[in-house]
Every structure is written in structure tokens, then in C-alpha cells.
Amino acid sequence: MKIAFVQPANNQKSGKWKAQGVYRTPTNLAILASYVRENGYDPKIYDFDLESGNSIENARTIMSDNPDVIGFTCLTPRFPLVVEIANECKKIKSNVVTVVGGSHVNGQPKHVVKYPSIDYAILGEGEEALLDLLNHIEEGKDVSNLPNLAFEKDGNCIVNPKRPYIEDLNTLPFPAWDLLNLDYYTDPAFFYGPHLGLLSGRGCPFSCSFCASKVVWGRQTRARSAINIADEIEIAIKEYNIREFM
């Protein structure tokens, strides 16, 4: 089964901000892609933050590979664009399954799934929840009781309870960097060349009003081991010639 992971464009960028040429790796999507790939699925990543084009053009790019499922990551300002792209994708292939995750989903799950072009939303950590959803879809099983899942049924928005967080982050695979053109991820103000974003842990004990961490990851901190992080850095250097990290 083919899975398309999508980062929508950041249309807020303009003027000096846009001219700076700052692009961050969609590390969350790269980890999800790696996770589902090691479980037998065929993922691709589309980072429209790097490309120009409207929702129709984005949808055509995504659907050119005929995916079975599309997974969007979504910050709140980008949600309207997610809805537009999902709608255009369903015009091309009506039975393609659309799934949205990210901080906006965790803050407003019922707002997300009320749109007809959005089939499911995943709250909290996405790896286990998305894999469960994919397995159930592929096997034709009922998904209505899956943890972390939100969806609309008979006009009602259903939000299922979350499963426990992943305790050992070292069990997660390294990001699928091979699915991205890493040369594009630059920040001239801080790095000399391409850089990668590393996820060293999840969760934060604080509750800042401007941050979504507590909503997505919870307030209990979980950290990867230093050796695990060093191994990821070593692979990035040897296989992708990346020398800078954040």
C-alpha cells in the first residue's frame, strides 16, 4: 500500500523572512515514513514548503504516484491549505484516504474532521496510531475503536482516547532521509550548508501558553540515549554527507 506524507507550504513566509532561504527538514514525516516502511508500506514524502504551486498543482503532484493513503502534518495556519489539497486529491481519486496529524489536530480534533475531505485525524504520537490505522484499512477492519483516532460518524465527531506514549524512543527507526533532497534544507544565517533537524526527545514539563508541546507530547519528558543520537549523526555524515545539525 502506498502512503504519501505531505508537508503543506508555509504561505506565511514573505518579505525578508522568505528571502532568508530558511527551510527545516520535516523530521516528523521522515520518522513516520521510516516507521511504516519497516512495517511493509511504501512511503513518499512531499515537502511543498520547498516548492511553488497552488493546491490543485500540489494535489496533482501527490496523486501522480496513485497513493492509497495521504498523511498531512499540520500547523494551525496551514490547515486551510490542507483542506484544499485533500479536496483536490479526492477529486482525482475519491477513495484515497486522508489523514491529518500535528499540533492543530491535537488542539482542535473536532474542527479537523468536520471537513468532508478529511477522513481521519490522529492525536498525540503518530507512529503506532498510524500503523494501526494502515493495517486496519489494508485488512478491511473496523477502525472506530482505534486509540488516538478522531473521525466523523453519522454527523458526530468521535475522538477516541489516546494510547500510552512510547516509553523508549530508541526503538523508533532513524528518519527516512533518503526520501528527501537534503541539499534544499538550508539556513544561511546559522549553517554553512544543508542541515538536519534531530529529535532528541519528546515531552516538556512546562506549560507555556505559546507552545503546543504539552498538547502533542505530554508534560513527561522522554529522551533518546546519547549513543542512539550519535549513531543517527554518524549515518547522516557517512551516507548523506551532512555536517550540521540542530
Side-chain angles (χ1 to χ4, degrees):
M1 192 158 69
K2 292 183 177 181
I3 319 299
F5 290 101
V6 178
Q7 172 158 271
N10 183 358
N11 290 333
Q12 291 178 293
K13 282 186 179 180
S14 61
K16 291 183 178 179
W17 183 16
K18 188 172 184 179
Q20 285 177 333
V22 177
Y23 298 99
R24 306 292 188 210
T25 52
T27 305
N28 56 337
L29 295 185
I31 294 173
L32 285 169
S34 184
Y35 192 83
V36 301
R37 183 166 64 183
E38 74 172 15
N39 283 279
Y41 293 99
D42 180 16
K44 284 193 174 183
I45 301 176
Y46 299 90
D47 186 357
F48 293 116
D49 208 16
L50 299 173
E51 304 176 32
S52 60
N54 56 37
S55 57
I56 296 175
E57 293 167 334
N58 290 169
R60 288 173 180 167
T61 299
I62 296 166
M63 299 309 297
S64 65
D65 194 50
N66 193 30
D68 302 289
V69 177
I70 306 172
F72 296 91
T73 185
C74 183
L75 298 173
T76 297
R78 306 189 196 191
F79 182 66
L81 183 56
V82 167
V83 173
E84 290 178 16
I85 297 173
N87 186 55
E88 294 300 329
C89 287
K90 283 188 172 287
K91 287 180 181 179
I92 297 171
K93 182 179 179 179
S94 61
N95 64 340
V96 67
V97 177
T98 54
V99 186
V100 182
S103 56
H104 182 69
V105 168
N106 286 272
Q108 297 286 336
K110 292 184 178 181
H111 171 255
V112 172
V113 296
K114 74 177 184 179
Y115 290 88
S117 60
I118 306 299
D119 295 312
Y120 303 105
I122 289 180
L123 289 76
E125 284 181 317
E127 290 84 9
E128 294 177 347
L130 178 60
L131 182 61
D132 265 358
L133 178 61
L134 295 179
N135 289 341
H136 277 65
I137 291 172
E138 187 170 50
E139 296 168 12
K141 294 181 179 178
D142 177 33
V143 304
S144 60
N145 293 316
L146 292 180
N148 298 63
L149 198 66
F151 55 94
E152 188 172 75
K153 184 177 182 180
D154 299 327
N156 298 312
C157 294
I158 311 297
V159 181
N160 290 342
K162 294 181 184 178
R163 71 191 68 213
Y165 290 109
I166 298 170
E167 292 186 10
D168 185 3
L169 297 181
N170 290 344
T171 61
L172 293 175
F174 296 149
W177 297 131
D178 58 297
L179 299 182
L180 295 165
N181 188 337
L182 299 180
D183 291 338
Y184 291 124
Y185 296 98
T186 58
D187 184 348
F190 292 98
F191 301 105
Y192 291 104
H195 67 285
L196 292 184
L198 300 179
L199 183 70
S200 60
R202 291 177 176 176
C204 177
F206 301 103
S207 185
C208 300
S209 61
F210 57 82
C211 181
S213 178
K214 66 177 180 180
V215 180
V216 181
W217 306 125
R219 295 182 65 182
Q220 180 178 351
T221 57
R222 295 159 291 138
R224 295 168 58 193
S225 70
I227 292 177
N228 186 251
I229 296 171
D231 287 343
E232 181 180 341
I233 292 173
E234 183 178 17
I235 290 174
I237 292 172
K238 289 183 176 179
E239 296 187 10
Y240 303 107
N241 197 32
I242 299 296
R243 293 291 191 272
E244 298 180 285
F245 304 88
M246 66 173 293

